[in-house]
Amino acid sequence: SSASLPVPLSALVIIAIEAALPFVGFGFLDNAVMLIAGDAIDHTLGAALHLSVMASAAMGNVVSGMLGMQVHGAVEKLVQKLNLPVPILSDQQRSSQRVFMAGHIGGTVGIAIGLTLGMLPLLFISNDDDDKAIEHAFTSIDTSKDGLISAAELREALGRVGITIDVSQAQALV
């Protein structure tokens, strides 16, 4: 009977692809939104509250999770519109370990691909603001404008923010 027949490899591949595709979409949206929201939070609320980048990223993840709850199902509907062939399997075949593993592996590969693709915003997120802030801090300390920070310049800069160190400590730091 067909109930005890092994599941053809072609059917397992289709099952894996059908399991992977929604996870590609979800992984992409999840990571991309987390990165974009985390970056926006880092440059606004994070800067105002002096939050760490990781705290801003975690808040971005909250935004991403909330968006995911709003759009869940939409990715699956898009995949259904592809009208991929549905393997005809018996109940016993559908409940087999091979079918389970095909779906499980497909979903795992799909989420890995989606999360990787979701890193694309990193190509467009600029660190120029951070670089400019570091350059500004350096040039404000380097009062001699020789491209170096001397022990005296470091002591003076720390003194401006209320930190007093002696000459030997400043020399040890530079």
Side-chain angles (χ1 to χ4, degrees):
S1 81
S2 69
S4 62
L5 289 175
V7 180
L9 179 61
S10 60
L12 294 172
V13 169
I14 291 170
I15 290 166
I17 291 170
E18 288 177 344
L21 288 177
F23 283 105
V24 171
F26 176 75
F28 174 80
L29 289 173
D30 187 54
N31 227 9
V33 170
M34 186 271 298
L35 289 169
I36 293 166
D39 184 58
I41 290 167
D42 187 46
H43 286 91
T44 55
L45 183 63
L49 298 177
H50 304 287
L51 299 175
S52 69
V53 173
M54 292 300 290
S56 296
M59 289 181 183
N61 201 28
V62 170
V63 171
S64 177
M66 291 184 336
L67 180 67
M69 289 302 296
Q70 300 308 308
V71 300
H72 82 281
V75 174
E76 289 88 348
K77 288 177 185 174
L78 285 172
V79 171
Q80 287 173 355
K81 288 185 180 197
L82 295 175
N83 290 323
L84 296 174
V86 177
I88 299 171
L89 303 175
S90 68
D91 289 342
Q92 185 178 5
Q93 287 173 315
R94 255 192 307 280
S95 63
S96 72
Q97 182 69 19
R98 290 184 76 196
V99 168
F100 170 80
M101 289 305 295
H104 189 71
I105 291 169
T108 302
V109 170
I111 197 75
I113 292 169
L115 290 169
T116 302
L117 291 173
M119 288 190 258
L120 285 173
L122 292 173
L123 297 174
F124 307 102
I125 293 174
S126 171
N127 289 329
D128 288 347
D129 293 342
D130 296 339
D131 294 343
K132 287 177 186 173
I134 292 169
E135 184 179 345
H136 176 70
F138 181 86
T139 57
S140 69
I141 295 170
D142 179 25
T143 55
S144 66
K145 306 298 180 212
D146 63 357
L148 302 170
I149 296 176
S150 68
E153 289 170 328
L154 179 62
R155 283 186 69 212
E156 181 184 330
L158 290 174
R160 287 193 300 255
V161 293
I163 299 172
T164 305
I165 62 172
D166 62 40
V167 174
S168 63
Q169 290 172 316
Q171 288 173 337
L173 289 172
V174 294

